[in-house]
């Protein structure tokens, strides 16, 4: 399957889906506090997507080849969980870090974004990991423009992350997105500059680095979805959906509550 390019009118649809996904994170932000369960966050998000936004939660019953259908509407990955954590009844506690990953389908278009949240009072190491992973995502985003290559994005993320003494997860990557949740191309978060596909206007994909405080190796839990660090070190992830434009990049998953870009990106 080739990379599908999105037309101007396709992008109008994707802009709406992207903003809605980000607005679910804005809504959840005020609910993430000690004592709340991720199950409750899932209910709040599901209700908002379906009944307020008129959107479909893309994760619910999503079943890529080799996977059982995903049972919930959002992904919540806590502490040493890397990604695809399944919401449950356990209450969050002060000091936890949690990635909430939201994907909505609106009028057939997908928007996919995630942020880190620190529950109550976070440790210095936890805050540093979350901040550094945010900066890593932004270093990738700043490479996006026509003529650049996918390897430029991966290299920017990997070289920064490893220079800080952290590691990049290899088994999961960003992805093309549109009428399908996961399309070509794969957007690796590591690599060499000047390699892989050239970016052209109309490409839309996610950048979603997973960064571990310890070693990069991961394993899957018995639930068939949740990914954790092998060494049980903390892991963080941020995700935006971006479009390649004629002269650079448009982030499709911004909302009123999006954190500002880091200083080096003009924020
Ligand atoms: N939202 C995730 C991503 O960024 C995918 C989650 S698949 C699910 O690609 F089934 F777990 F929801
Ligand atoms: Co994604
Ligand atoms: Co996602």
């Amino acid at each position: 399957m080739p990379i599908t390019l999105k037309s101007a009118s396709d992008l109008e649809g994707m802009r709406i889906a992207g903003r809605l996904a980000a607005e679910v994170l804005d809504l959840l932000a005020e609910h993430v506090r000690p004592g709340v369960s991720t199950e409750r966050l899932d209910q709040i998000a599901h209700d908002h997507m379906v009944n307020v936004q008129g959107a479909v939660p893309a994760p619910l019953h999503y079943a890529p080849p080799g996977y059982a259908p995903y049972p919930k509407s959002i992904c919540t990955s806590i502490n040493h969980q890397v990604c695809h954590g399944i919401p449950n009844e356990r209450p969050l506690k002060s000091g936890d870090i949690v990635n909430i990953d939201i994907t909505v389908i609106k009028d057939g278009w997908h928007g996919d974004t995630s942020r880190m949240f620190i529950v109550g009072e976070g440790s210095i190491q936890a805050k540093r990991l979350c901040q550094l992973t945010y900066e890593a995502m932004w270093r990738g985003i700043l490479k996006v423009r026509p003529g650049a290559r996918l390897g430029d994005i991966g290299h920017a993320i990997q070289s920064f992350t490893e220079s800080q003494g952290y590691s990049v997860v290899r088994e999961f990557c960003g992805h093309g997105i549109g009428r399908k949740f996961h399309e070509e191309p794969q957007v690796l978060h590591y690599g060499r500059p000047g390699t892989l596909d050239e970016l052209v206007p109309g490409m839309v994909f996610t950048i979603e680095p997973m960064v571990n405080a310890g070693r990069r190796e991961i394993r899957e839990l018995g639930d068939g979805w949740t990914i954790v660090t092998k060494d049980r070190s903390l892991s963080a992830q941020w995700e935006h959906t971006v479009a390649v434009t004629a002269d650079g990049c448009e982030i499709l998953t911004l909302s009123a509550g999006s954190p500002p870009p880091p200083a080096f990106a003009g924020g």
Side-chain angles (χ1 to χ4, degrees):
M1 281 288 284
I3 299 174
T4 66
L5 297 182
K6 277 72 183 180
S7 69
S9 82
D10 295 345
L11 281 173
E12 284 177 30
M14 293 210 69
R15 237 173 242 128
I16 293 168
R19 180 177 44 78
L20 292 178
E23 286 175 352
V24 176
L25 291 172
D26 293 357
L27 168 68
L28 291 179
E30 58 199 81
H31 295 278
V32 178
R33 46 187 158 68
V36 76
S37 69
T38 48
E39 171 96 32
R40 178 75 190 127
L41 298 176
D42 181 74
Q43 289 164 356
I44 293 166
H46 179 97
D47 176 69
H48 187 76
M49 289 186 261
V50 171
N51 297 316
V52 178
Q53 297 182 332
V56 174
L60 189 59
H61 306 147
Y62 183 60
Y67 285 82
Y70 188 78
K72 296 287 178 179
S73 296
I74 69 175
C75 296
T76 51
S77 304
I78 303 164
N79 297 338
H80 71 296
Q81 296 178 348
V82 174
C83 62
H84 305 165
I86 301 173
N88 63 28
E89 281 167 12
R90 236 194 351 266
L92 294 173
K93 58 183 194 308
S94 183
D96 284 343
I97 60 171
V98 54
N99 172 275
I100 304 182
D101 193 338
I102 301 293
T103 312
V104 307
I105 312 169
K106 179 70 177 180
D107 298 331
W109 297 107
H110 289 72
D112 188 8
T113 185
S114 80
R115 297 179 196 156
M116 294 303 298
F117 296 89
I118 296 172
V119 182
E121 206 55 50
S123 70
I124 287 173
Q125 304 97 286
K127 286 186 212 165
R128 187 167 137 73
L129 172 66
C130 294
Q131 174 64 25
L132 175 134
T133 307
Y134 186 62
E135 291 187 15
M137 173 186 70
W138 267 97
R139 283 178 197 264
I141 291 172
L142 290 175
K143 293 291 173 192
V144 176
R145 57 173 177 77
R149 289 180 176 270
L150 286 173
D152 300 341
I153 299 173
H155 180 260
I157 293 169
Q158 180 185 15
S159 58
F160 170 69
T161 301
E162 293 179 353
S163 76
Q164 305 295 306
Y166 294 74
S167 64
V168 176
V169 171
R170 304 283 178 100
E171 290 83 351
F172 296 90
C173 55
H175 49 92
I177 182 168
R179 291 205 177 271
K180 294 204 311 186
F181 194 162
H182 295 103
E183 320 182 335
E184 287 192 45
Q186 294 195 44
V187 181
L188 303 181
H189 303 116
Y190 60 93
R192 284 182 293 124
T195 65
L196 304 174
D197 287 295
E198 183 175 329
L199 307 187
V200 300
M203 280 185 186
V204 179
F205 51 81
T206 71
I207 298 179
E208 49 179 302
M210 284 141 271
V211 172
N212 298 347
R215 296 176 55 85
R216 67 174 176 81
E217 286 78 13
I218 58 163
R219 64 184 187 85
E220 188 180 287
L221 295 188
D223 63 17
W225 279 101
T226 309
I227 304 298
V228 298
T229 56
K230 241 184 194 161
D231 64 7
R232 299 187 64 86
S233 63
L234 285 183
S235 186
Q237 178 179 29
W238 292 78
E239 174 175 27
H240 269 312
T241 300
V242 304
V244 183
T245 62
D247 55 4
C249 168
E250 177 181 348
I251 301 176
L252 302 178
T253 39
L254 292 173
S255 62
S258 297
F264 63 78

